[in-house]
Amino acid sequence: MSDQQQPPAERPVLNGLVALIAVGLGVGLILGVVALVGTKVLGIGADDGDAAGESTVRQSMYLPTPVETDEATGPLVTLHTEDTDEPTGDAETAVPEDEPTTELTSESAAGQISLQALATSVASGERIYFSGVYPGGEGAILWVQRFENGDWADFPASVGVTNGTFSSYIFTGVSGVNRFRVVDRDSGTTSNEISVTVG
């Protein structure tokens, strides 16, 4: 066999070295592109005179001009109560409800209780939400009553008055039209009645 027909011994090493360099260049190129895109996205190294960069900074630092607001004229409602689990079955209880602060106005005179229901009909076992105002009744406990057998009977529920207002909900499994009211037992003051159809 002649020398010309023998493959050179250095060829596999040379091929491996070329492949290694090619892989290194490819990885370096990919990392360079990722770094370039990252600096553009994050805005690193942007010129101070760059209009787009200035616009972004100005928009993110914009603060509106302060404007004086009008004073609230009605009582403010801030209820700090704890919500409990709903009872099951035909239980009749009232649970105070957490609500955001809202502004309410009342046309009723001081000392009168004004009561309203959120809905006039609910499904059986669904919450019956109610709220109202009691000017001058700060800290009073109002007891819920239901009209039964021609007279007002105590319902096992109560709600406290905060900032002249109150809000809660009750459950009942008694279907049909239910008439409710609240009463301040200490002063004897009663509210108007509300009617809610259950079922």
Side-chain angles (χ1 to χ4, degrees):
M1 211 176 210
S2 64
D3 291 339
Q4 292 180 350
Q5 293 177 349
Q6 290 181 354
E10 298 86 9
R11 187 162 218 125
V13 175
L14 182 60
N15 288 343
L17 187 58
V18 169
L20 187 60
I21 291 172
V23 169
L25 287 174
V27 171
L29 181 62
I30 291 172
L31 291 177
V33 169
V34 169
L36 181 62
V37 170
T39 56
K40 289 291 184 184
V41 169
L42 297 176
I44 299 173
D47 293 334
D48 292 338
D50 185 4
E54 287 181 1
S55 174
T56 302
V57 171
R58 286 180 185 157
Q59 289 177 3
S60 66
M61 294 299 291
Y62 173 75
L63 293 175
T65 305
V67 178
E68 187 173 336
T69 58
D70 297 332
E71 282 191 28
T73 56
L76 298 179
V77 180
T78 307
L79 300 178
H80 299 287
T81 56
E82 294 180 4
D83 195 4
T84 60
D85 296 333
E86 291 187 17
T88 57
D90 195 29
E92 300 177 346
T93 58
V95 184
E97 176 192 8
D98 285 333
E99 289 186 354
T101 301
T102 57
E103 181 178 330
L104 298 176
T105 57
S106 172
E107 297 177 359
S108 62
Q112 292 183 341
I113 305 172
S114 175
L115 178 66
Q116 64 182 6
L118 181 65
T120 57
S121 67
V122 297
S124 181
E126 187 179 350
R127 292 178 177 182
I128 301 173
Y129 290 92
F130 65 89
S131 62
V133 293
Y134 186 14
E138 182 66 27
I141 301 298
L142 303 178
W143 296 90
V144 179
Q145 292 183 329
R146 180 169 56 190
F147 194 77
E148 299 174 1
N149 302 321
D151 198 7
W152 289 101
D154 288 337
F155 192 83
S158 64
V159 62
V161 178
T162 304
N163 293 328
T165 62
F166 58 92
S167 177
S168 187
Y169 59 86
I170 55 178
F171 297 93
T172 182
V174 178
S175 60
V177 177
N178 285 264
R179 295 162 58 189
F180 297 100
R181 73 178 185 180
V182 293
V183 60
D184 181 357
R185 291 179 181 169
D186 293 334
S187 67
T189 306
T190 59
S191 73
N192 59 296
E193 70 175 61
I194 56 173
S195 295
V196 179
T197 303
V198 178

